[in-house]
Amino acid sequence: MSRITGLHVRDVRFPTSREHDGSDAMNPAPDYSAAYVEITTDALDALVGTGFVFTIGRGNEVQERAIAALRDHVVGRDAEALLADMGGTWRDLVHDSQLRWLGPEKGVIHMAIGAVVNALWDLKAKRAGQPLWALLADMSPDDLVDLVDFRYLTDAITPAEARSLLQDAVPLRAGRRARLEREGYPAYTTTPGWLGYDDEKLARLCREAVDEGFAQIKLKVGGDVDEDVRRMGIARRTVGPDIRIAVDANQRWDVEDAVTWVDRLREFDVAWVEEPTSPDDVLAHAEIARRIAPIPVATGEHMANRVIAKQLIQAGAMSVLQIDATRVAGVNENIAILLLAAKYGVRVCPHAGGVGLCEAVQHLSMFDAVALSGDLDTRCIEFVDHLHEHFVTPVDVHDGRYWPPTAPGAGTEMLGVSLDTYDFPDGPAWTVDTAAPAPVPDTARVA
């Protein structure tokens, strides 16, 4: 038997705002960041479970404190017992009545729980000697159903229906896994599309995306409609008629603005319109979806929980569901969302690109491809080519595809040198003088 001996949290920030990486209509100067957690045990193997919550700078210290507040829920506990019953572990954290009052099941505390849950999954997969996607895909339908909290979901999907979906896929798992390993998982790239890039950089990165095999790119929109029309024209002329171009408004519009804006962009054959309005406004998404059809609405990266996912699906508010590896309460809740999408035939194209999001979410999509939907034709994962070098097992993306990771774990472990260099506010990345403006001072860090 081994025990959890520590839950350690760090505030890690990358100064991406200096090059306008990640810039969009709502977030013009993001510093991609991670509230990063390590869970240690007294086991002789010395394996460490890692997870994080992705933020864009200020406020990362708030997320750090929320994760630290969960120490007493795991430190001192029997590691084998926690890992053997990940459904029960999830419920112990999420159903804590005092923590629940801070949500319930949304916001900073819910994401903090997700970081801890994901770190435990990372530890579980490392102990099993498997990448997380394969560990999940090998689990029995009964064990997978036991991971999910079906409270608030049974009007849309019951445990029996979920079990049936998973059971139907069991005979197909081997063939699906072979295809995944042979063909990879489709990717699309947002690398060309940041709003702060000039025209030359936009065109150059569009050309490079096509040369690298991507069949879809995405551009940020929502700052100025005439500028968006002009930038979309540059992108379309550069990539030609056969490459899909999606657009992302990052919650910028009201309903009428969204409809009017999208009408101006129709000529460019828009693949989807992402986050056109508030992520909490299911009815507004449904109205926009109705009025801009047949252009699909994509949303979900900021949805608070599985209940919002259920409502978006029930209301016909989107055609593309974008899960995020660190927004909801970890792997368990994302499996619930994947089950909902599978039942209702909604394609899932995850949000990624931020610190470690590509590394983490690929495991969820690949589990889905093997053990649930089996869809490798209409689904794709977002990719942005930055910050991967800071991870022990960075994503392998080439020829426009994600290639299945083989290293044990969830892909969330960062390199020690990166953690030390980008530690905020004391790491060299933040203390060495640069030509960029100094970062806005933040409050004291968690000890």
Side-chain angles (χ1 to χ4, degrees):
M1 182 184 77
S2 62
R3 293 200 172 274
I4 306 290
T5 56
L7 186 155
H8 312 280
V9 198
R10 300 185 70 163
D11 184 341
V12 184
R13 309 191 193 188
F14 298 86
T16 50
S17 62
R18 295 172 185 171
E19 300 296 331
H20 304 291
D21 296 336
S23 54
D24 59 56
M26 292 292 276
N27 309 291
D31 286 322
Y32 276 15
S33 305
Y36 182 80
V37 58
E38 296 175 316
I39 292 177
T40 57
T41 76
D42 58 8
L44 295 177
D45 58 26
L47 294 173
V48 176
T50 61
F52 58 86
V53 174
F54 169 65
T55 78
I56 60 168
R58 287 188 295 278
N60 202 48
E61 78 286 353
V62 177
Q63 191 65 70
E64 183 188 15
R65 283 169 171 74
I67 296 171
L70 300 173
R71 283 194 179 103
D72 289 345
H73 284 72
V74 294
V75 174
R77 300 279 298 276
D78 182 326
E80 283 73 24
L82 288 178
L83 298 178
D85 182 15
M86 286 298 292
T89 298
W90 191 91
R91 292 176 182 87
D92 285 346
L93 288 162
V94 175
H95 293 179
D96 178 297
S97 63
Q98 293 184 15
L99 291 175
R100 216 180 134 69
W101 185 259
L102 300 175
E105 296 189 39
K106 58 180 175 284
V108 170
I109 196 65
H110 202 55
M111 291 188 288
I113 290 170
V116 173
V117 167
N118 287 347
L120 289 169
W121 275 108
D122 180 53
L123 180 59
K124 182 180 178 78
K126 286 173 177 173
R127 284 189 167 190
Q130 292 183 283
L132 177 61
W133 69 268
L135 174 70
L136 293 170
D138 285 345
M139 291 176 66
S140 73
D142 285 342
D143 287 342
L144 288 166
V145 168
D146 285 345
L147 298 176
V148 174
D149 184 355
F150 284 90
R151 183 165 55 176
Y152 313 134
L153 298 186
T154 54
D155 58 320
I157 188 170
T158 65
E161 289 173 321
R163 187 175 292 105
S164 179
L165 288 169
L166 292 161
Q167 188 61 52
D168 288 347
V170 169
L172 306 174
R173 286 182 180 182
R176 290 173 171 180
R177 178 168 180 162
R179 183 186 175 195
L180 174 65
E181 293 173 337
R182 183 174 65 250
E183 299 180 10
Y185 198 104
Y188 77 91
T189 181
T190 310
T191 295
W194 303 117
L195 211 55
Y197 288 173
D198 60 32
D199 292 354
E200 184 281 328
K201 190 170 186 177
L202 167 62
R204 174 174 57 81
L205 292 175
C206 283
R207 287 192 297 272
E208 290 176 2
V210 175
D211 291 343
E212 291 164 4
F214 291 101
Q216 178 174 311
I217 64 171
K218 186 171 75 181
L219 269 61
K220 300 291 184 173
V221 297
D224 177 273
V225 67
D226 292 325
E227 275 294 291
D228 288 345
V229 170
R230 190 181 64 78
R231 292 171 63 250
M232 284 288 285
I234 293 170
R236 179 53 75 197
R237 289 191 297 274
T238 301
V239 304
D242 298 328
I243 301 298
R244 298 185 299 274
I245 304 178
V247 299
D248 184 355
N250 287 97
Q251 316 159 29
R252 187 71 173 86
W253 301 318
D254 287 341
V255 171
E256 292 301 325
D257 294 330
V259 174
T260 302
W261 212 292
V262 173
D263 280 344
R264 291 285 305 276
L265 301 178
R266 283 184 186 275
E267 64 179 291
F268 302 107
D269 190 20
V270 177
W272 72 55
V273 176
E274 185 171 325
E275 279 201 317
T277 192
S278 166
D280 298 326
D281 197 337
V282 174
L283 296 182
H285 274 89
E287 178 69 5
I288 292 167
R290 183 183 67 81
R291 293 176 62 183
I292 71 170
I295 296 175
V297 167
T299 195
E301 72 180 77
H302 281 92
M303 65 187 174
N305 50 46
R306 66 202 183 281
V307 180
I308 297 296
K310 179 191 74 169
Q311 292 178 4
L312 287 165
I313 290 170
Q314 289 174 321
M318 49 77 202
S319 301
V320 180
L321 181 57
Q322 297 174 303
I323 62 173
D324 183 285
T326 76
R327 173 63 57 171
V328 299
V331 169
N332 300 53
E333 192 162 23
N334 268 315
I335 289 175
I337 294 168
L338 287 169
L339 285 163
L340 284 163
K343 178 183 173 181
Y344 289 91
V346 174
R347 62 181 171 133
V348 179
C349 298
H351 169 245
V355 181
L357 295 183
C358 296
E359 279 74 13
V361 85
Q362 63 178 333
H363 290 272
L364 298 170
S365 286
M366 291 175 188
F367 153 74
D368 173 79
V370 173
L372 187 52
S373 78
D375 187 358
L376 277 177
D377 298 315
T378 71
R379 302 187 180 204
C380 51
I381 306 171
E382 184 174 20
F383 175 71
V384 179
D385 191 14
H386 60 203
L387 305 177
H388 305 295
E389 67 274 16
H390 301 293
F391 286 82
V392 173
T393 54
V395 289
D396 178 8
V397 174
H398 62 269
D399 299 325
R401 320 281 286 191
Y402 277 79
W403 297 89
T406 58
T412 47
E413 184 173 355
M414 294 181 67
L415 296 168
V417 65
S418 295
L419 294 171
D420 292 340
T421 301
Y422 294 94
D423 186 77
F424 186 86
D426 301 322
W430 296 101
T431 57
V432 174
D433 188 31
T434 71
V440 176
D442 231 320
T443 54
R445 298 180 59 243
V446 173

